[in-house]
Amino acid sequence: MRRNLLIAHALGASALRPALLLLAEAREAGAFPMPPQVDCITLPALRKDAAGGCTPRHLTLSLASVLALRAEAIRATLRSFAPDLLIVDHLPRGAFGELQPALSALRDRGRTRCVLGLRDVLEEPAVVRREWKRWQSAEAVRQYFDAVWVYGDRAVYDLVAECDLPAAVAARVTYTGYLDTRCRLDCEPTPVAELLQTLGLGSRRLVLCLVGGGQDGAPLADAFLRAPIPANTLGLVVAGPYMPTDDRRRLHALAAGRAEVRVVDFLSEPAALLERADAVVAMGGYNSICDVLAFEKPALIVPRGLPRREQAIRAERLAARGAFAVLDPDALSPAAIGRWLAAPRSEATAPRVDLGGLARLPALVRAVLDARHDEARDPADRSLQLA
Amino acid sequence: MCLDATRIAIFTHDTFGLGHVRRCLHITRALADQAPHASILMITGSPAFSMFTDLPANADVVKIPVIAKTGAKRLRPSHVKLPLPELSALRQRLIREAVLGFAPDVFLVDNFPLGSQGELVPILQELRRLPTRTVLGLRDILDAPEAVRADWDRQGVHDVLDRYYDRILVYGMADVLDAASAYGMTPATAAKVRYCGYVTDDDSPPPDADLVERDHGLAPGYLLATGGGGGDAFPLLQAFLQALALLPGMPAVVVAGPLMRASQRAELEAMAAARGNVTLLASVPSLRPFLATAGVVVSMGGYNTAAEIVSLGTRAVMVPRTWKYGEHLKGQAAGEEAEQRLRAESLARMGLADVVMPEELGAERLATAIRAQLERPARSGPAGVDLGGLRVVSDHLLGLANRNGVASHAA
């Protein structure tokens, strides 16, 4: 969601001046301020279960009826909005193929260009190949998509080569570069100044602990809150909107006993906090990594552990380029975090990682639209993103 | 998981302010509490969408594009740059897919029986062919009765109420306003009306009375000023900050509200900083802990704030909104609206609040009213006001849903 809001923000502020709609699951979208000129439509949420299946996250309806509702709503939206550009995030056919009817209707009508947006690293290559085969993703890309944007740096991770993606996909891929999140500093004013005052930060150094959405962030936050914090430093955990209530409560209780650590539940816009931070301890999710890279903060990354490999791969590759330090999740302990916090740091030299993604997007949109065969149109175009 | 569980859809169209959304969220939480196996789907075009992040586990939201009011009857797409007719068509399609796809046992429409520009009418028509029971929820007071009658006549509301709604729930009391006769309902429509009492957050746990002292270092008895969502509260909060000069030694909290423009909030912040002893908050998750500990609250006359003030027995000075929602933003002559004035005057008659009209608003008038309230005994009970509406509303909805279940199984 954060990634797609960033993209919407960049496109909205560009000379393209498009009408932008964002289509997403509900509570995620509601948690973030919308950029100006962007509205969102939300659909009932799904949840992956442990067996790799899926159920409605909130509604006690069958999966089939929620999927039907979502597919119909998507189709109705695309028919009414008739975008010039549709950017689909991650799954070319959507969850359980829910995009399929809309995609083939769009292709028949011929107005809309479709772009698939992918994270720098998806998963372990074998898993990606299996999933792409299961959902016939490559076939969908070939049939429906004009371009594939990988929001990463090929020199860091060559998604096409690593995952051995078919030629039809490879031919459409552009590596955009990572997304420079500093642009969010000029978003809506945020209550960060107020927050820092409440926390009594004063002139102390600030170390942030970021755990993304927070679903499985409790072990890192827990270790951070027990770690020895250097003198004259405040350690601040941002728990994330999806952290289970029990975990959250436990973290607050842990912090209550110590003056040098604090916990806040959620910040819709942490940019100003990142700017103020002296160092960051974070998991290896895409957005946290973009934050660490863009704000050039010394960072310790503790990627999500097995069975998922996405964060570990991302962390290893970027660490190899000197972007930050990595701590294996199996080695996570308060002492390990404390050692990193206490270690003397030479002035960080900016790693050689391409952060030009957002700056390049308007030109990439232009290129996709210009490739259309039909007559030239008004440049004030419509764009729809599926997050 | 029970796949045949009760389904309730709630549609809330709101162009400005937080009142409707907040009331619908109270109802959703009450339903979820009473019927944990039910599925509740909210459908909303509210600009205050961030309020929907904290829903019960068995509720979800379909958010449709926002349409905002820009003038007396003028609307515009608020966020996405699309021509209004196209946006309206998109909204209607989405509402239709969501409602028909969800196939609710009960469809509750909040306050606007036709939605925005009649968008609901064809959908209500289609629902007549399904077992879905349709319910309209009305706020205690919509506007001056003659204004409502004129509006309803012009928009053909009476016919829609007669034909497409099974029940009308009024979130208020017939003693305060008899909606059926005041709005000139037909006898058939009037027979569908049930008065439920005021819908407040009353069923939620009592407010955390220590929160304000703990988080903000303020002992009970301070002055509180709130303008609801804050979208048009600047003049009131500005007058309040000026009035503080005449009330030396009184600590104060000002809640600007999440819908206040950043530039206005910055101005208030500067005033508060210059004054000292004033805590200015952009927004608070719940006003209740503040209302429970404030010595006097200065507020507008919106439904939720008024109901919570009454339920907590807070001494209050009300400065009702007398202009139409949203029009102040355009700087044009604003049409009049009587809803908040009528509500504030009812409460004043019951001795539960003092009213200062916006045209009298000024530091001295406000300070005098605040001093007068401080003379009153604190925390007098909610004498004569029925605040049990939330439970009554959810009972009605679940009752209709169950009856519907029985009927459709028998059919």
Side-chain angles (χ1 to χ4, degrees), chain A residues 8 124 177 207 209 214 227 232 262 289 298 302-303 328 376:
Chain A
E124 197 158 15
V207 181
C209 175
N232 199 29
R262 293 297 182 94
I289 294 296
V302 187
D328 188 295

Side-chain angles (χ1 to χ4, degrees), chain A residues 269-314:
Chain A
E269 185 44 83
L273 203 56
L274 276 153
E275 196 182 40
R276 170 66 177 80
D278 297 285
V280 177
V281 175
M283 292 181 67
Y286 181 85
N287 300 308
S288 301
I289 294 296
C290 282
D291 283 340
V292 164
L293 295 176
F295 286 88
E296 298 181 8
K297 298 297 175 183
L300 175 67
I301 301 300
V302 187
R304 176 175 288 153
L306 294 171
R308 307 279 319 262
R309 286 275 300 150
E310 170 209 335
Q311 294 196 356
I313 297 171
R314 178 179 299 120

Side-chain angles (χ1 to χ4, degrees), chain A residues 50-131:
Chain A
C54 207
T55 52
R57 193 185 293 173
H58 305 294
L59 302 177
T60 46
L61 266 62
S62 68
L63 176 63
S65 39
V66 171
L67 282 175
L69 195 166
R70 286 167 55 115
E72 281 308 304
I74 293 169
R75 208 179 48 83
T77 301
L78 288 168
R79 210 170 79 196
S80 290
F81 189 54
D84 298 285
L85 177 65
L86 169 68
I87 305 174
V88 177
D89 198 71
H90 192 53
L91 297 174
R93 291 184 207 265
F96 293 86
E98 64 186 355
L99 268 183
Q100 182 65 52
L103 285 173
S104 62
L106 285 181
R107 191 191 47 183
D108 293 347
R109 255 194 308 166
R111 171 183 173 126
T112 304
R113 304 277 102 176
C114 296
V115 172
L116 177 66
L118 297 175
R119 283 192 311 258
D120 58 340
V121 177
L122 298 175
E123 238 318 313
E124 197 158 15
V127 176
V128 174
R129 279 193 292 269
R130 194 174 66 221
E131 287 294 301

Side-chain angles (χ1 to χ4, degrees), chain A residues 17-20 26-27 30-31 37-42 44-45 58-62 72-73 77 79-81 382, chain B residues 2-3 37 39-40 49-50 53 55-63 65-66 79-82 86 90 93-94 97:
Chain A
R17 309 198 56 75
L20 279 160
R27 298 187 201 199
Q37 306 294 354
V38 179
D39 203 348
C40 72
I41 289 171
T42 77
H58 305 294
L59 302 177
T60 46
L61 266 62
S62 68
E72 281 308 304
T77 301
R79 210 170 79 196
S80 290
F81 189 54
R382 297 176 180 189
Chain B
C2 168
L3 293 182
H37 296 295
S39 276
I40 303 155
F49 187 56
S50 60
T53 47
L55 284 176
N58 53 341
D60 211 333
V61 192
V62 170
K63 156 134 179 349
V66 178
H79 296 98
V80 63
K81 292 184 296 180
L82 266 194
E86 284 193 46
L90 171 54
R93 284 215 178 111
L94 272 170
E97 295 307 334

Side-chain angles (χ1 to χ4, degrees), chain A residues 337-353:
Chain A
I337 290 177
R339 274 195 296 280
W340 183 79
L341 290 176
R345 249 180 293 284
S346 53
E347 206 43 49
T349 50
R352 296 178 318 279
V353 176

Side-chain angles (χ1 to χ4, degrees), chain A residues 8 11 43 83 100 139 166 215 229-230 257 278 304 341 352 361:
Chain A
L11 293 179
L43 303 172
Q100 182 65 52
E139 181 57 17
Q215 301 92 325
I229 303 286
D278 297 285
R304 176 175 288 153
L341 290 176
R352 296 178 318 279
L361 281 184

